[in-house]
């Protein structure tokens, strides 16, 4: 942990004092003077570069130039060079190599390292382009910055991430070309920056944004504001971006020397409180903290451009711009700007947050060093049965791809674990697994297994299930079995083979193209391996018509005593015979015997044929008071459906005068003169009761009282 300095710079740091941490590297190769604080210390590299640039103009690819042991000058070019030896010699002499002998080789030289490029490594953004810069064109210049992280383009090609302002010159004009500087000569290790003897294009800026998303300066709180760039790698030069960040302990003359000691990048994350590290060409690998006084997600004005990111006290300086900012093995940002520490104020460093910047790059993603997956089952050298699951862990990965037996299988990693269906072909098999997240992939791990025959048991029939009923023609029989075995489906009654298939790698099988229509069916299924036949699996099922629909009466309906239905109607399958069984019920208990005369229930069986999807039956007369049940079925070719059942009631007639105003004198109530003192009565009628009320009375065993009134006899 870095020693903390008292007097921490307050967060109210003004925008004017926060500067971008890029650095002007040099004006042109000719300006490489010893008194330059950031330039090579000798003229020889410039002579070499000028010679190469001039030869390039005449179509000659220079491989090397220099002096032999006896002091003679030599120019090495490729054999397919278009220029004559005399022209090559003349150009060499003009650039300081007089009387040079011309040597031709079959091809250009390549570095014996792999061209690895890592986070934190130094590079130059050149203007107007690399060729113009090397040719010392008027206005040529270069700016020093640092690589952030290895990346992928939206199509999966190699790229690098850096700061957006590294892709613009001091007037805001966009830059295109980049090239690497020599690690061993960087300020991070106390050196004076220099170009390699053979300068190659690193790549071109594929995207850059410094400030608002509209190309402006942005503003405080502007979620489009950022400082990010991407460099599309020149693959022809053999560069290999590595998902790692250098700690600057192995800087040397080789452009790939920094890759010898690195911190692997395994994820992208938002910044968090705690230790944070930075890697850049000027101050190397430094450590700071993001503490409670820092901004975890906010905006800072960098040279007037607003940038969404976070702060820390991590040491950084001009030239570190674009450099990697990490916490553990997680990529969290790239250096954008800041203010260096003073005797009284602590370092204030602002970094672009990757989680907010990456979505603005139109699909670029950080390259990750994913851990190789671990295969937990089966073990290497094990004997397995066909289709045995391959399981394991792939921490930090989104998917795994399993290969080595048939087509590759790519499955999601869930909670760090994966499972795929294993090989089904018998014999020795190699299983290979690679973890993946986006375009990033891990090393491949492999095991060898021997696939041996599984015990041949009866297959399983899953559809139609044994004892089930279907309402439509059955066209397929499905189930599970041992992968790669042959399935045979046979009619149990006729022994006719209905179809065959092979069990898939996931253990499923289906025999389709069948036509099992209305009726009862039974099938037998076996699976075969070579000449071995399994025990039988059987399933019996029925295919019956769907139940008819009754549309004229709803279940539980009640009709008035004079409005009982005289028939029934509904819908069904054309050509089917619909059978309606009507059953009526009357009160039969001793307590309600007096009511029997008020009911006239009916029963009977009626049939109809469905035409145009409809059917109807006629009861012959309207049903009188009573409770009724209906059971309707439809049959095709003698196969009957399940019944459609419903019940309804026709109510009894209401009692006359059962309500309203009191009777007038002489019309009812008190006895009229001359009538013998008897009260006047009307016709004998039943008190109106619903079917539910009748049932309640019957169940309770109570006496249902009926009020009768005698008809008044007029003299």
């Amino acid at each position: 942990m870095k020693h903390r300095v008292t007097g921490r710079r307050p967060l109210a740091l003004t925008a004017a004092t926060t500067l971008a941490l890029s650095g002007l590297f040099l004006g042109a190769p000719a300006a490489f003077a010893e008194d330059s604080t950031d330039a090579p210390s000798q003229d020889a590299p410039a002579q070499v570069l000028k010679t190469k640039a001039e030869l390039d103009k005449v179509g000659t690819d220079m491989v090397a130039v220099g002096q032999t042991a006896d002091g003679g000058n030599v120019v090495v070019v490729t054999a397919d060079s278009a220029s004559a030896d005399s022209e090559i010699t003349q150009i060499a002499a003009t650039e300081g190599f007089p009387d040079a002998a011309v040597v031709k080789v079959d091809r250009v030289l390549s570095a014996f390292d792999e061209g690895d490029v890592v986070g934190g490594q130094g590079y130059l953004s050149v203007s107007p382009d690399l060729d113009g810069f090397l040719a010392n064109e008027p206005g040529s210049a270069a700016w020093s910055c640092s690589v952030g992280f290895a990346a992928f383009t939206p199509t999966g090609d190699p790229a690098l991430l850096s700061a957006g302002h590294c892709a613009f010159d001091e007037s805001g004009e966009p830059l295109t070309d980049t090239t690497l500087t020599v690690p061993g000569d960087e300020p991070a290790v106390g050196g004076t920056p220099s170009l390699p003897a053979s300068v190659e294009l690193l790549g071109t800026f594929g995207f850059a944004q410094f400030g608002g998303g509209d190309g402006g300066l942005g503003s405080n709180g502007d979620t489009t504001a950022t400082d990010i760039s991407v460099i599309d790698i020149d693959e022809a030069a053999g560069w290999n971006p590595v998902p790692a960040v250098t700690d600057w302990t192995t800087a040397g003359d080789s452009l790939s020397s920094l890759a010898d000691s690195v911190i692997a990048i395994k994820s992208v994350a938002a910044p968090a409180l705690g230790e944070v590290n930075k890697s850049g060409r000027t101050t190397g690998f430094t450590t700071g903290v993001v503490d409670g006084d820092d901004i975890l997600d906010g905006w800072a004005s960098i040279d007037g451009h607003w940038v969404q990111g976070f702060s820390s006290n991590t040491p950084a300086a001009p030239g570190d711009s674009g450099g990697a900012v990490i916490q553990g093995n997680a990529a969290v940002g790239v250096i954008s700007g800041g203010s260096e520490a003073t005797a009284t104020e602590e370092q204030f460093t602002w970094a672009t947050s990757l989680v907010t910047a990456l979505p603005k790059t139109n699909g670029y993603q950080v390259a990750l060093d994913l851990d190789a997956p671990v295969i937990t089952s089966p073990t290497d050298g094990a004997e397995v049965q066909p289709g045995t699951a391959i399981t394991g862990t792939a921490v930090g990965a989104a998917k795994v791809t399993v290969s080595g037996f048939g087509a590759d299988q790519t499955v999601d990693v869930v909670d760090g674990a994966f499972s795929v269906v294993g090989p089904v072909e018998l014999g020795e098999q190699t299983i290979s697994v690679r973890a993946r997240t986006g375009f990033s992939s891990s090393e491949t791990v492999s095991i060898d297994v021997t696939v041996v025959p599984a015990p041949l048991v009866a297959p399983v029939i899953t559809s139609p299930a044994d004892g089930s009923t279907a309402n439509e023609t059955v066209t397929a029989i499905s189930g599970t079995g041992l992968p790669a075995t042959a399935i045979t489906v046979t009619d149990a009654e006729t022994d006719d083979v209905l179809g065959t298939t092979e069990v898939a790698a996931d253990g499923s099988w289906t025999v389709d193209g069948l036509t099992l229509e209305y009726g009862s069916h039974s099938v037998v299924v076996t699976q075969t391996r070579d000449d071995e036949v399994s025990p039988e699996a059987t399933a019996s099922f029925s295919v019956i018509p769907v139940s008819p629909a009754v549309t004229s009466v709803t279940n539980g309906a009640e009709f008035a005593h004079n409005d009982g239905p005289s028939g029934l109607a509904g819908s069904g399958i054309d050509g089917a015979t619909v059978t309606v069984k009507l059953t009526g019920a009357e009160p039969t208990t001793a307590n309600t015997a007096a009511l029997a005369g008020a009911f006239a229930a009916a029963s009977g069986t009626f049939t109809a044929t469905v035409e145009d999807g409809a059917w109807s039956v006629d009861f012959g007369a309207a049903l009188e008071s009573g409770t009724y049940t209906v059971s309707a079925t439809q049959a095709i070719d003698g196969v009957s459906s399940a019944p459609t059942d419903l019940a309804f009631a026709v109510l009894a007639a209401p009692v006359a005068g059962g309500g309203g105003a009191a009777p007038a004198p002489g019309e009812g109530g008190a006895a009229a003169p001359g009538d013998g003192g008897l009260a006047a009565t009307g016709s004998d009628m039943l008190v109106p009761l619903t079917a539910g009320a009748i049932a309640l009375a019957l169940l309770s065993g109570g006496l249902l009282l009926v009020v009768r009134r005698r008809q008044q006899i007029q003299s």
Side-chain angles (χ1 to χ4, degrees):
M1 181 71 70
K2 178 180 178 296
H3 176 67
R4 297 297 302 278
V5 179
T6 58
R8 180 78 186 268
R9 175 179 294 277
L11 293 182
L13 182 71
T14 62
T17 61
T18 305
L19 305 176
L21 298 184
S22 57
L24 181 63
F25 184 74
L26 47 90
F32 286 11
E34 290 185 4
D35 58 355
S36 172
T37 60
D38 204 12
S41 59
Q42 47 185 309
D43 293 334
Q47 291 177 300
V48 173
L49 297 177
K50 286 292 297 295
T51 304
K52 177 174 174 55
E54 293 301 318
L55 288 173
D56 284 344
K57 290 180 180 179
V58 296
T60 297
D61 198 349
M62 188 189 84
V63 176
V65 63
Q67 291 183 331
T68 62
D70 58 8
N73 291 323
V74 176
V75 178
V76 182
V77 297
T78 56
D80 59 358
S81 297
S83 304
D85 288 0
S86 58
E87 185 178 12
I88 295 172
T89 302
Q90 179 59 43
I91 291 174
T94 301
E95 302 304 330
F97 300 96
D99 302 321
V102 177
V103 177
K104 295 184 178 181
V105 295
D106 290 338
R107 56 188 179 275
V108 297
L109 304 181
S110 60
F112 288 118
D113 56 41
E114 297 179 350
D116 289 344
V117 181
V118 294
Q121 189 161 357
Y123 73 93
L124 299 182
S125 305
V126 298
S127 174
D129 53 39
L130 185 59
D131 290 338
F133 171 72
L134 296 177
N136 196 25
E137 291 183 1
S140 296
W143 287 263
S144 58
C145 276
S146 300
V147 172
F149 301 96
F152 290 105
T153 70
T155 57
D157 294 322
L160 298 168
L161 293 179
S162 189
H165 68 261
C166 292
F168 300 94
D169 65 15
E170 72 276 7
S171 62
E173 292 299 316
L175 304 172
T176 56
D177 294 358
T178 61
T179 187
L180 290 176
T181 49
V182 178
D185 293 339
E186 297 286 29
V189 290
T192 302
S194 69
L195 291 168
S198 179
V199 179
E200 299 285 351
L201 177 68
L202 172 63
T204 57
F205 287 108
F207 174 88
Q209 182 181 329
F210 182 34
D214 59 357
L217 299 177
S219 59
N220 186 18
D222 181 1
T223 57
T224 72
T226 191
D227 186 10
I228 192 75
S229 66
V230 293
I231 301 171
D232 295 339
I233 291 298
D234 179 21
E235 293 187 77
W239 304 120
N240 176 40
V242 178
V245 171
T246 179
D247 63 8
W248 282 96
T249 61
T250 58
D253 293 336
S254 168
L255 297 182
S256 296
S257 57
L258 292 174
D260 292 337
S261 182
V262 294
I263 296 92
I265 298 303
K266 297 188 176 296
S267 64
V268 176
L273 297 179
E275 184 174 287
V276 61
N277 301 110
K278 178 234 83 231
S279 183
R281 63 171 292 278
T282 304
T283 57
F285 190 80
T286 58
T287 299
V289 292
V290 178
D291 66 16
D293 293 329
D294 280 301
I295 298 173
L296 278 177
D297 183 18
W299 285 261
S301 179
I302 309 297
D303 288 342
H305 296 72
W306 287 90
V307 177
Q308 187 175 5
F310 61 96
S311 65
S312 72
N313 67 346
T314 311
D320 286 332
S321 278
V325 181
I326 62 176
Q327 289 186 304
N329 295 106
V332 296
V334 294
I335 293 294
S336 178
S339 178
E340 295 183 75
T342 67
T344 59
E345 293 182 333
E346 193 177 20
Q347 172 88 26
F348 182 90
T349 299
W350 191 260
T352 303
S353 175
L354 284 183
V355 294
T356 61
L358 281 173
K360 300 174 176 62
T361 64
N362 302 318
Y364 284 80
Q365 47 183 263
V366 173
L368 303 178
D369 180 6
L370 296 176
D371 290 333
V374 176
I375 302 174
T376 56
S377 179
T379 58
D380 188 30
E383 288 188 348
V384 298
Q385 296 176 5
T388 297
I390 310 301
T391 61
T393 58
V395 178
K399 298 177 181 293
V400 295
T401 297
V402 184
S403 59
F405 50 94
D408 290 353
Q409 298 184 62
T410 298
V411 298
D412 292 336
V413 176
V414 180
D415 295 330
F418 66 89
S419 178
V420 298
V421 176
V424 298
E425 185 177 347
L426 300 180
E428 295 182 354
Q429 305 287 347
T430 298
I431 300 170
S432 298
V433 184
R434 172 172 289 192
R436 299 183 180 278
T437 296
F439 292 114
S440 299
S441 61
S442 71
E443 294 181 356
T444 299
V445 295
S446 300
I447 62 172
D448 294 321
V449 298
T450 301
V451 183
V452 298
L456 203 57
V457 297
V460 175
I461 304 172
T462 57
S463 178
D466 187 42
S468 63
T469 298
N471 294 128
E472 296 181 352
T473 299
V474 172
T475 60
I477 308 292
S478 301
T480 59
L482 294 176
T485 59
I487 291 291
T488 301
V489 178
T490 305
D491 188 307
E493 295 181 1
T494 65
D495 288 335
D496 292 337
V497 175
L498 300 179
T500 61
T501 191
E502 183 176 292
V503 181
D506 63 358
S508 65
W509 59 265
T510 296
V511 172
D512 51 20
L514 307 182
T515 310
L516 301 178
E517 299 178 329
Y518 295 126
S520 298
H521 302 277
S522 183
V523 294
V524 175
V525 182
T526 58
Q527 56 184 338
T528 304
R529 180 176 59 208
D530 297 329
D531 295 329
E532 184 182 2
V533 180
S534 75
E536 297 178 345
T538 61
S540 297
F541 54 92
S542 298
V543 181
I544 63 175
V546 66
S547 300
V550 177
T551 58
S552 61
V553 175
T554 59
N555 189 38
E558 292 182 342
F559 296 89
H561 76 286
N562 58 354
D563 194 29
S566 60
L568 211 61
S571 60
I573 303 171
D574 281 347
T577 299
V578 173
T579 300
V580 175
K581 292 183 178 181
L582 175 67
T583 303
E586 297 179 354
T588 58
T589 66
N591 288 339
T592 58
L595 300 178
F599 290 87
S603 299
T605 300
F606 308 87
T607 61
T609 300
V610 180
E611 296 181 1
D612 296 329
W615 59 268
S616 64
V617 296
D618 189 348
F619 298 150
L623 297 178
E624 297 185 17
S625 299
T627 58
Y628 298 89
T629 59
V630 169
S631 179
T633 60
Q634 62 180 334
I636 298 177
D637 298 332
V639 180
S640 181
S641 72
T644 297
D645 295 324
L646 57 88
F648 61 92
V650 179
L651 303 178
V655 175
E667 294 183 349
D675 65 356
L678 297 176
T681 62
S683 301
D684 290 345
M685 296 296 293
L686 180 70
V687 174
L689 296 173
T690 65
I694 294 173
L696 179 62
L698 293 175
L699 290 175
S700 64
L703 177 62
L704 181 63
L705 299 179
V706 179
V707 178
R708 298 175 180 270
R709 302 182 66 191
R710 297 183 60 186
Q711 183 178 10
Q712 181 178 6
I713 301 175
Q714 301 294 333
S715 60

